[in-house]
Amino acid sequence: MNNSREQNLVRLREDSYIVEPDQKFEVDYFKHEDAVGIARLYYAVYGENFPVDHVYDPDELVRINKGDDLIQIVGRTPKGDVVGLYALFQAAPNPKIMEGGSWIVHPDYRGTSLGLRMVSRFHNRPPEDLEFDGFFGQSVCDHLTSQKLCKKFKALPCAFEVESMSPRSGEEESYGYISLLDGMIVLRNSSDEVVLPFRYDSQLRDIYEWMGLNRSFVPDTFGAEELASAGETNLSVKLLDEAGLVKVEVESIGCDFAECLAGVLREHQGMHKYHIYLPLWCYSISVAVEAARAEGFFFGGLLPLWFERDALLLQKLAGTPDFSKPSLLVKESKALLNMVEADWNDLHG
């Protein structure tokens, strides 16, 4: 039986392990003996605040790495200390979309080439036996380092998640919640039909254009009368308690969409953030967008191939966001922020 989160944290507190600085390091794929070092690295960088339990659990890290759902690359010293980590993991309903993240460098090894070498190890030489539709990544917006990395590897911005990440340990008062910039490297372009919701027609066309994705745009002619005769809504809910986030992934939009969404919000009251992923092939999407806006949701962006076909991201925030805080690198990400801020202001004006 796996240890609980608290049991793993107790072990790490009592461990009090100190990594020796200035060691040489190599970059390599995960080995089972790295698991304890990875848990120590998360604890050294994030303290007890990282919202995913298994990062503190060496046994669970070994188990997950045996499958195709997680690929980890580590920076390892001759003593066996793990001083860096980069990972790819499944985060979308489409199993061929891998999210790149967990990009961590031990404080004593920042300023070295370790961070870039770990990412380059995978993206310059991905495993030949794995076929992907694309790579997804999220850059924090309280600094530009990860955004520079995305630019280097041509991950194009596609969505902007306002104040979606919990504050860094010790910075709750000084900075607060951190916005995330979503980027995508699309490996399998598609000519699928896309139904553009009336409200976000121009925004989505702009994003498709700068991402270079060819799609066949279809007008949404499906109104409330047509929706009344549609089937039931099919959705799933994912709860990230530690991050205060509820994710609602909608695979089909039925006549009961507004009722289903209201039910999710009632069941999960008091959360910091809510995300909805809507299918951009459903002719009822304009009606769904307006129903979501009536509940306080605003524009987030585009997620190509999220359901193996494209998705629209909408978001709802408990508080009032500070749109002046994000630091952004490229013009497309700044355009995204302008779209999001304009829609939030329109909703709350």
Side-chain angles (χ1 to χ4, degrees):
M1 180 180 294
N2 292 334
N3 291 328
S4 69
R5 178 186 180 94
E6 183 56 31
Q7 286 173 319
N8 286 310
L9 290 174
V10 167
R11 175 184 51 79
L12 288 164
R13 284 184 216 124
E14 295 175 348
D15 185 16
S16 301
Y17 188 82
I18 302 297
V19 172
E20 180 183 333
D22 300 322
Q23 300 179 68
K24 294 182 179 180
F25 55 79
E26 63 175 0
V27 172
D28 194 10
Y29 282 95
F30 173 89
K31 297 179 180 178
H32 72 271
E33 55 264 32
D34 296 323
V36 171
I38 290 173
R40 287 171 172 165
L41 178 64
Y42 271 99
Y43 192 76
V45 173
Y46 290 99
E48 302 184 7
N49 297 323
F50 200 82
V52 179
D53 294 346
H54 74 251
V55 304
Y56 299 116
D57 188 337
D59 293 336
E60 187 66 3
L61 286 166
V62 171
R63 187 192 70 78
I64 298 174
N65 269 282
K66 290 179 180 178
D68 294 332
D69 293 346
L70 179 66
I71 301 169
Q72 290 187 318
I73 298 168
V74 302
R76 186 189 306 119
T77 74
K79 290 181 62 176
D81 293 329
V82 174
V83 294
L85 179 69
Y86 179 68
L88 290 104
F89 44 89
Q90 288 186 356
N94 180 0
K96 293 186 178 181
I97 294 290
M98 296 293 283
E99 179 174 351
S102 300
W103 190 44
I104 310 172
V105 176
H106 190 281
D108 290 336
Y109 288 80
R110 293 169 187 169
T112 71
S113 62
L114 176 57
L116 181 59
R117 284 174 56 187
M118 290 188 298
V119 181
S120 300
R121 176 63 183 271
F122 180 85
H123 289 289
N124 289 340
R125 290 178 290 162
E128 295 181 359
D129 59 326
L130 299 177
E131 295 182 359
F132 300 112
D133 287 345
F135 300 126
F136 171 77
Q138 294 183 310
S139 297
V140 294
C141 297
D142 58 337
H143 61 72
L144 295 176
T145 304
S146 53
Q147 294 178 54
K148 291 177 180 177
L149 189 71
C150 286
K151 182 179 179 182
K152 176 179 176 62
F153 289 98
K154 297 181 173 59
L156 298 171
C158 57
F160 191 90
E161 302 182 13
V162 181
E163 298 183 4
S164 189
M165 179 176 158
S166 298
R168 299 185 192 279
S169 179
E171 297 182 12
E172 291 84 354
E173 300 299 328
S174 60
Y175 190 92
Y177 281 88
I178 299 166
S179 294
L180 298 174
L181 178 66
D182 295 347
M184 184 81 80
I185 302 172
V186 177
L187 303 177
R188 180 183 67 84
N189 202 354
S190 168
S191 58
D192 286 339
E193 287 188 347
V194 169
V195 182
L196 295 178
F198 302 133
R199 185 175 292 275
Y200 301 129
D201 182 288
S202 63
Q203 295 94 322
L204 290 169
R205 286 179 187 270
D206 285 347
I207 298 171
Y208 276 115
E209 181 176 359
W210 75 54
M211 295 193 76
L213 300 178
N214 60 304
R215 297 290 191 269
S216 177
F217 297 128
V218 179
D220 187 357
T221 58
F222 205 81
E225 291 183 5
E226 290 84 356
L227 186 63
S229 60
E232 295 182 349
T233 298
N234 181 19
L235 60 78
S236 60
V237 178
K238 296 179 181 178
L239 194 62
L240 281 72
D241 278 318
E242 295 294 328
L245 174 63
V246 177
K247 292 187 174 185
V248 184
E249 292 179 334
V250 182
E251 295 188 30
S252 64
I253 301 166
C255 58
D256 58 345
F257 174 78
E259 180 182 348
C260 289
L261 178 57
V264 171
L265 297 176
R266 281 195 306 270
E267 184 177 353
H268 302 289
Q269 296 182 46
M271 300 295 282
H272 171 70
K273 189 77 180 284
Y274 303 83
H275 288 172
I276 301 179
Y277 304 79
L278 292 175
L280 278 168
W281 62 90
C282 290
Y283 280 93
S284 47
I285 192 166
S286 290
V287 178
V289 165
E290 298 310 312
R293 281 177 62 83
E295 295 285 2
F297 284 85
F298 56 99
F299 186 72
L302 169 70
L303 294 173
L305 302 172
W306 196 253
F307 296 106
E308 297 188 33
R309 299 182 72 177
D310 300 346
L312 167 68
L313 174 65
L314 302 181
Q315 53 192 326
K316 174 184 171 75
L317 191 65
T320 300
D322 183 349
F323 289 104
S324 69
K325 288 199 305 184
S327 298
L328 299 172
L329 182 64
V330 300
K331 65 180 181 180
E332 293 85 359
S333 59
K334 295 173 184 178
L336 260 175
L337 177 58
N338 289 337
M339 293 176 190
V340 172
E341 182 177 6
D343 198 47
W344 191 91
N345 288 332
D346 182 61
L347 186 64
H348 295 86

